[in-house]
Structures are given as structure tokens and as C-alpha cells.
Amino acid sequence: MFDLDLWREIFQSINKNRTRSLLSGFTVAFAILLFTILFGIANGLQNTFKEAFGTDAKNSIVIYPGTTTKANKGLQAGRRIQFKNEERTYIKEEFGDKVQFITSKVNLTVNASYRGKKNSYQLRGIHPEYMFIEKNEVKEGRYINQNDIDHKKKVVVIGKVVDDDLFSKTSAVGKYINLSGIPYQIVGFFTDEEGYNEENVIYMPLSTAQQVYGKHEDIDFLHLTYNPEMDSDAALLFGNQITNKLKERFSIASSDQRAIRVQNMAQGTKQVDIMTSGLTVIILVIGFGTLIAGIVGVSNIMIFIVKERTKEIGIRKALGASPKSIVSIILIESILITAIAGYIGLLIGVGVLELVAPSLETYFIKDPGVSNGLVIGATVTLISAGAIAGYLPAVKASKIKPIVALRND
């Protein structure tokens, strides 16, 4: 394998038969190029679907109270449903392990100020579990904790936008921020991959928000995540079960669609899964079709190469070359050409994807790309196919008697 004379012969053979070598390489490079571009575009579409969900937990359910549209059990239509703290406890006890995290929420708008700087922000009263539902990342300090809830502490956690607006030149943690005339200590600040809309927020213990802003036991809505081991169908069923239980709890007609509204991410997840699965199948068919075409092309060229070199093989045998050495030189030449061409095809494919990536966002294809492992696997498949295609006729040719090989036309 590391015989210098062997490698010299291989490079001399490639140099002598440039057209043949270029055709072999072009077939492989073109197949890998198409394979890379197709899978890159497919991955770009999947990235677009994933981004549509943002960075929130993909297994989340939001439950909103509404207004009844139908009379039920002696109660008139038009009744406003009001959730309270006890609804969170009820759902946790009723559904047990099906609930992963759950928080009640109160939404308000406040005017925040610090040393002459001021702005208006959204204030959310939450439980500590909201950190895992919203996927907030604490950059400094800490998040709201249960002790804050229990003691109704006047503490807040601010988003990056709030921090940049009011505390651009100093650390916010430990400072006091004025919210509509009431001072609160900042215990941490966070970032969120969704950017401005989620970082332009101030979080406060739910119990504090209820006490200070006159909410008492009232909450605006519930936000939870279901057990991630549930599939989409089980999660949709779980969402319906929550709806039915709450309708019973508030004496709402089962056919009333507006009194309790449930936004279940499982519905969107299921649709995206169907779309991405279909897309993956289509791309796989096209991609492997491209690979098969490449394999056929490489195989045909290898058969032709071996046939063309039959006389050469006869001369080598006449000079004392062993069948093993004859087969190895053909295979190594084939593998070398295929590997180099595959790498070139990969580089061109990746380059094309990077070049057109900005313009593809117009067509909802975001960050198209393909894993090196996948393309390397495709290249190895082509190399293996070429080696097998060349091996069989090479072995056959190596067994021909020199005199017969020399007479070959």
C-alpha cells in the first residue's frame, strides 16, 4: 500500500489517461454536488419550520379563559370565566405526571425608571417554572424562586432589552428599579433567543404582582408543558382532557368553544412532523436516486477501464506481475480518483449553499446546510460501489493468460 513504485505507477496512469480520469471524477463530483445541495435545501426548510415555533418549549399548552356563548345548568350565556390560583393546583393534582411544568401568569404594563432613564415594559407575574417553559437563560444573578412566591417579595428579573435601556453602563443586579412608583430589587437579568419581544419584559413573583396590582387570587391564563415522552396524538388528547375537565369545573357546555381556549403546540408539531417527514422522504428518494445514478456511472466507467487495460494487464502478467498486484493497482487508482472527486464535489456543494443562502430566505429556506457525516457517507458509498465495480472485472482480467490478454481487441 505504501510502495513508492506502486504510487508512482498510479499517478503515471492517471496522468496518461486524463480524459478517462476526468470522466470518472466528474461523475462522482456531480453526484456528491447534487446530493449536498438537495439535502442542504431540505435542512433549510426544516430550519424554517422549527424557527416558526420560536425557542419556547415545543411541548407547551396555553389555557385562556373566555366568555361563555351558551347557557348551561341554569347559567346564562355571556358569563366571563375567571381563572384563579387554585386552577393551577387543580390541574397539577388532576393530571399528575402528565404535567411537566406549569405556571399561572398575570400580564401588566408598567412604566420603569432608573436614575432618570425610563420606558414602558410588559410585566409578567409568574412561577419559577416559567423559566423552563419560555427557555429563558439567566446571564447574571438568579431567576424568580419559590421563596419569592411564598413571601411575596418585591424582586424582579429583567430582560436584556430592559437592561440595555436602563443599565447600559452598570450591572443591574442588586439595584432597585422603580415600576409605576414602586421600587423593586433586581435579582437577575436574562436573555431569550426569540429576541426583542421576549427580552423587553420584566418578571415578578406571581403572588407579588397579585398583591400589589389588585389581582388578589385572579390570574390571566395558565401555561404548562406536558410530559415530553408523549407523542403528538397523546398530547392532543391530553389538551382535550384539560379542556373538558375545566368545562366541568366551571359548568360550561361541552359544545361551547369560546369559554375555554387551549393553544396546544402539539397540533403545530404534528403538522410540522408530517411536512418534514414527507419532505425528508422526497429528498431521500431524489438524493439516493442521484447516488444510484452516480454508482451506475462509476461502475460503467470502471468496467470500461478494466476492459481497456486488458492488454496492459497481459503485459504485466508476462513480466511476472501477480494477480493481486494487478487488482490492487486498479482499485487504488479508482478509490483515489473517487475520493478526490467526492471531496471536490462536497466543497463545491457547500460553497454553492453558502453563496445562495441569503437569497434562499426569500423562499423560506433558512441556513441551508448538510452534515459532513452524511456527505462523507455518500462519498464512501460511491467509492465502495466503484471499487466493487472495478474489482470483479479486474479479478477476471487478472486470471486471463498473458497471450490471450495480448490478443484482446
Side-chain angles (χ1 to χ4, degrees), residues 327-342:
V327 173
S328 64
I329 195 170
I330 293 174
L331 286 183
I332 293 172
E333 180 182 335
S334 170
I335 291 171
L336 182 64
I337 292 172
T338 310
I340 293 174

Side-chain angles (χ1 to χ4, degrees), residues 199-213:
E199 294 178 340
N200 189 39
V201 175
I202 298 173
Y203 292 135
M204 177 183 294
L206 175 72
S207 56
T208 306
Q210 289 175 322
Q211 182 184 56
V212 173
Y213 298 101

Side-chain angles (χ1 to χ4, degrees), residues 81-93:
I81 303 300
Q82 177 62 63
F83 287 168
K84 295 185 179 293
N85 288 337
E86 60 194 39
E87 267 62 72
R88 175 175 177 268
T89 304
Y90 169 75
I91 290 176
K92 287 179 69 175
E93 293 176 350

Side-chain angles (χ1 to χ4, degrees), residues 165-224:
D165 288 348
L166 305 182
F167 303 91
S168 58
K169 295 182 180 180
T170 183
S171 173
V173 177
K175 306 292 192 306
Y176 283 81
I177 186 173
N178 189 295
L179 301 182
S180 299
I182 302 173
Y184 295 86
Q185 185 178 29
I186 299 171
V187 294
F189 93 89
F190 68 91
T191 60
D192 192 296
E193 288 186 11
E194 288 190 58
Y196 183 87
N197 287 338
E198 292 300 329
E199 294 178 340
N200 189 39
V201 175
I202 298 173
Y203 292 135
M204 177 183 294
L206 175 72
S207 56
T208 306
Q210 289 175 322
Q211 182 184 56
V212 173
Y213 298 101
K215 287 284 187 177
H216 305 294
E217 292 286 310
D218 294 349
I219 62 174
D220 292 331
F221 58 94
L222 293 159
H223 196 167
L224 64 89

Side-chain angles (χ1 to χ4, degrees), residues 296-313:
V296 171
V298 171
S299 301
N300 288 337
I301 289 173
M302 286 306 302
I303 293 172
F304 174 76
I305 288 173
V306 173
K307 183 177 180 181
E308 185 186 53
R309 298 177 67 174
T310 302
K311 286 186 178 181
E312 177 191 330
I313 292 171

Side-chain angles (χ1 to χ4, degrees), residues 129-194:
E129 291 95 323
Y130 191 64
M131 177 180 179
F132 306 105
I133 298 173
E134 183 61 39
K135 299 290 184 70
N136 297 142
E137 183 177 351
V138 176
K139 289 298 183 179
E140 186 179 350
R142 66 173 177 84
Y143 207 72
I144 301 299
N145 60 34
Q146 190 59 44
N147 187 53
D148 299 330
I149 299 286
D150 294 341
H151 295 90
K152 301 179 181 179
K153 290 189 174 182
K154 290 184 177 179
V155 295
V156 294
V157 179
I158 63 174
K160 184 177 182 299
V161 172
V162 183
D163 183 72
D164 291 342
D165 288 348
L166 305 182
F167 303 91
S168 58
K169 295 182 180 180
T170 183
S171 173
V173 177
K175 306 292 192 306
Y176 283 81
I177 186 173
N178 189 295
L179 301 182
S180 299
I182 302 173
Y184 295 86
Q185 185 178 29
I186 299 171
V187 294
F189 93 89
F190 68 91
T191 60
D192 192 296
E193 288 186 11
E194 288 190 58

